[in-house]
């Protein structure tokens, strides 16, 4: 978890426990979440959890029993349960928490960093703070994150969803209850919600058209996503449509999606994508995320191929630099900063309207192709 106003983690845990005790009408002697559960929920060390519980014990709110756990103290002055700031009716008269929850799979790439920067800018302008929870692509973690943030008093949620075949019932429940939330980058097919994303079909069409103009006819599309998300599916559809418009035959072998992510470059020799690159099966690659684009670049170098003289790469998102001018990758720019900013502003509008929805907002941002150094003319040696 992280907050833009630097609330210490142990204080976040303490606030969460106070909410649990109050919202669940816990009585003296009732057991609170275990240290292990708190460590998993907040992704923190045992020391951080212990500090939080020690503080609550000093306040006489809980009693810690070695080997047994922590319990609501007999001396705890438990306040009566009050209506949650999460209820959609009467929010105008309630004291707002000014807290917005942000649920993300990871924040290990520049796409996520720029997205969060846009969100933070919008929230700061409106006097709100954020709290980030990472799901690591796990549906159960996403469910837990929603529950935790609601318990902590978040007025609304921005969610970059896991997107599995089995929908997150917590998201469905929020829609039914009118709790304010906004989906980012992807949506749940068949379920009307507020969402914002870049136009993935348009993005792969731009990539194919650029490579086609350079003379490439054998173009692969690659994804190492463990899930065939809506985002991945739409980008593949855009790739297929663009090739059809060119009158090209579709080669299923050029849609390389059935492989696990490469974790260590020294293991590349045994990776199916490396063998594909080394054998020069195609002259150009479209990578559906920036991290994979870098790995394709590294594998090509390891196979003795030059980029872009021997093989061209177009990546979704710029994987190499926050400063656009210093990027070497030809990439599909999705305007992730703007995506985050617009998502936050829209969510605050929904909160202002008390969750009442007359029409769901569906925003598709028009991507652009940024031509840099990883794409070039098709090698003449393959004519």
């Amino acid at each position: 978890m992280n907050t833009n106003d630097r609330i210490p983690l142990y204080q976040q845990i303490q606030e969460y426990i106070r909410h649990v005790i109050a919202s669940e009408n816990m009585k003296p002697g009732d057991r609170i979440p275990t240290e292990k559960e708190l460590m998993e929920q907040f992704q923190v060390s045992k020391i951080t959890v212990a500090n939080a519980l020690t503080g609550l014990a000093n306040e006489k709110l809980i009693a810690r029993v070695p080997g047994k756990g922590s319990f609501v103290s007999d001396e705890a002055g438990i306040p009566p349960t009050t209506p949650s700031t999460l209820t959609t009716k009467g929010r105008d008269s309630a004291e707002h928490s000014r807290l917005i929850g942000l649920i993300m799979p990871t924040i290990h790439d520049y796409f996520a960093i720029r997205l969060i920067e846009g969100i933070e800018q919008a929230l700061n302008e409106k006097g709100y703070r954020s709290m980030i929870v990472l799901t690591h692509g796990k549906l159960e973690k996403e469910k837990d994150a929603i529950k935790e943030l609601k318990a902590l008093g978040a007025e609304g949620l921005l969610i970059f969803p896991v997107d599995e075949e089995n929908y997150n019932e917590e998201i469905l429940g929020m829609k039914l209850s009118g709790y304010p939330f906004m989906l980012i980058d992807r949506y749940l097919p068949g379920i009307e919600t507020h969402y914002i994303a870049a136009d993935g079909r348009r993005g792969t069409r731009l990539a194919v058209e650029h490579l086609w103009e350079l003379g490439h006819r054998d173009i692969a599309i690659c994804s190492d996503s463990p899930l065939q998300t809506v985002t991945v599916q739409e980008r593949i559809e855009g790739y297929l449509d663009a090739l059809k418009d060119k009158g090209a035959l579709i080669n299923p072998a050029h849609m390389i999606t059935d492989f696990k992510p490469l974790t260590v470059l020294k293991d590349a020799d045994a990776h199916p994508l490396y063998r594909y690159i080394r054998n020069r099966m195609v002259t150009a690659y479209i990578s559906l995320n920036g991290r994979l684009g870098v790995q394709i670049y590294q594998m090509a170098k390891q196979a003795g191929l030059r980029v872009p003289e021997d093989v061209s790469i177009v990546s979704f998102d710029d994987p190499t630099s926050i400063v656009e001018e210093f990027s070497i990758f030809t990439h599909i720019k999705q305007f992730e900063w703007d995506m985050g900013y617009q998502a936050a502003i829209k969510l605050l509008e929904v909160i202002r309207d008390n969750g009442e929805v007359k029409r769901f907002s569906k925003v598709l941002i028009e991507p652009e192709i940024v031509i840099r150094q990883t794409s070039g003319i098709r090698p003449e040696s393959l004519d």
Side-chain angles (χ1 to χ4, degrees):
M1 287 192 176
N2 191 13
T3 58
N4 65 349
D5 58 352
R6 308 300 185 195
I7 297 176
L9 286 167
Y10 79 92
Q11 290 185 9
Q12 295 178 31
I13 296 170
Q14 290 175 339
E15 186 64 23
Y16 170 70
I17 292 173
R18 292 188 184 98
H19 273 283
V20 169
I21 292 173
S23 63
E24 297 184 9
N25 289 320
M26 297 181 75
K27 302 294 189 294
D30 287 348
R31 186 173 181 170
I32 67 169
T34 66
E35 288 188 6
K36 182 179 180 181
E37 290 170 341
L38 293 170
M39 288 167 61
E40 292 176 350
Q41 288 178 7
F42 287 83
Q43 296 293 298
V44 295
S45 68
K46 186 174 182 178
I47 294 175
T48 300
V49 172
N51 286 338
L53 296 179
T54 298
L56 293 176
N58 291 338
E59 294 175 17
K60 307 296 185 183
L61 182 64
I62 65 171
R64 305 184 70 191
V65 181
K68 298 290 185 180
S70 298
F71 304 83
V72 179
S73 170
D74 291 334
E75 302 177 50
I78 303 174
T81 303
T82 56
S84 170
T85 57
L86 302 179
T87 55
T88 57
K89 302 302 180 182
R91 187 178 261 111
D92 286 339
S93 60
E95 181 182 355
H96 288 225
S97 68
R98 313 298 287 181
L99 173 66
I100 297 297
L102 173 57
I103 300 175
M104 297 279 295
T106 63
I107 52 173
H108 71 281
D109 58 22
Y110 287 130
F111 176 92
I113 292 171
R114 296 185 192 100
L115 182 75
I116 292 172
E117 286 176 346
I119 291 170
E120 293 292 300
Q121 179 67 36
L123 295 181
N124 286 334
E125 289 176 2
K126 302 299 182 181
Y128 279 78
R129 59 192 177 95
S130 69
M131 182 174 288
I132 303 172
V133 181
L134 304 182
T135 65
H136 304 288
K138 304 295 184 183
L139 185 62
E140 287 305 315
K141 286 183 178 287
E142 184 177 276
K143 294 177 183 178
D144 291 342
I146 292 172
K147 294 176 184 176
E148 292 166 15
L149 288 165
K150 290 172 68 176
L152 286 169
E155 291 187 48
L157 300 181
L158 294 164
I159 306 173
F160 195 119
V162 171
D163 181 20
E164 285 192 342
E165 292 181 3
N166 298 318
Y167 294 146
N168 184 340
E169 58 266 25
E170 293 295 326
I171 292 179
L172 297 177
M174 287 192 296
K175 178 185 176 180
L176 293 174
S177 67
Y179 182 90
F181 71 97
M182 183 93 178
L183 301 185
I184 301 175
D185 189 68
R186 58 187 63 151
Y187 60 90
L188 303 181
I191 300 178
E192 288 284 299
T193 63
H194 297 291
Y195 77 87
I196 184 169
D199 188 338
R201 291 186 180 88
R202 177 62 179 161
T204 41
R205 179 178 288 276
L206 289 172
V208 170
E209 290 175 349
H210 168 65
L211 293 168
W212 195 272
E213 289 175 359
L214 293 173
H216 296 276
R217 297 298 179 263
D218 295 311
I219 303 170
I221 186 167
C222 304
S223 170
D224 60 358
S225 171
L227 302 172
Q228 288 303 304
T229 64
V230 167
T231 305
V232 170
Q233 292 169 3
E234 289 185 340
R235 292 176 183 179
I236 291 176
E237 289 170 4
Y239 164 83
L240 294 173
D241 289 343
L243 290 177
K244 290 175 183 176
D245 288 348
K246 300 295 183 184
L249 295 176
I250 304 299
N251 187 342
H254 292 171
M255 292 183 287
I256 313 171
T257 60
D258 190 19
F259 63 89
K260 294 181 180 180
L262 177 68
T263 55
V264 182
L265 185 60
K266 67 181 180 63
D267 299 332
D269 289 358
H271 199 278
L273 184 55
Y274 174 78
R275 294 194 295 269
Y276 201 93
I277 295 170
R278 181 189 60 197
N279 294 331
R280 306 185 76 164
M281 303 297 290
V282 297
T283 62
Y285 292 86
I286 300 172
S287 164
L288 296 193
N289 65 70
R291 182 188 65 256
L292 180 58
V294 171
Q295 291 180 348
I296 292 173
Y297 182 92
Q298 292 171 329
M299 288 187 205
K301 293 288 188 181
Q302 191 164 322
L305 301 179
R306 299 167 301 165
V307 180
E309 292 84 359
D310 298 319
V311 63
S312 289
I313 303 170
V314 178
S315 168
F316 265 78
D317 312 317
D318 177 8
T320 55
S321 176
I322 291 180
V323 182
E324 183 74 35
E325 290 75 14
F326 293 114
S327 171
I328 68 167
F329 270 76
T330 297
H331 63 275
I332 302 300
K333 184 176 181 179
Q334 300 190 90
F335 297 95
E336 48 270 30
W337 191 97
D338 300 282
M339 189 186 304
Y341 187 91
Q342 291 184 44
I345 292 297
K346 180 59 185 180
L347 177 62
L348 297 182
E349 290 176 359
V350 174
I351 292 171
R352 182 195 62 200
D353 295 337
N354 290 329
E356 295 180 2
V357 178
K358 296 179 181 178
R359 180 181 177 186
F360 287 104
S361 171
K362 304 175 183 63
V363 178
L364 281 182
I365 293 177
E366 182 77 7
E368 292 181 359
I369 186 164
V370 179
I371 300 172
R372 292 288 189 255
Q373 301 169 35
T374 59
S375 59
I377 297 173
R378 176 179 182 265
E380 295 182 1
S381 60
L382 298 181
D383 287 338

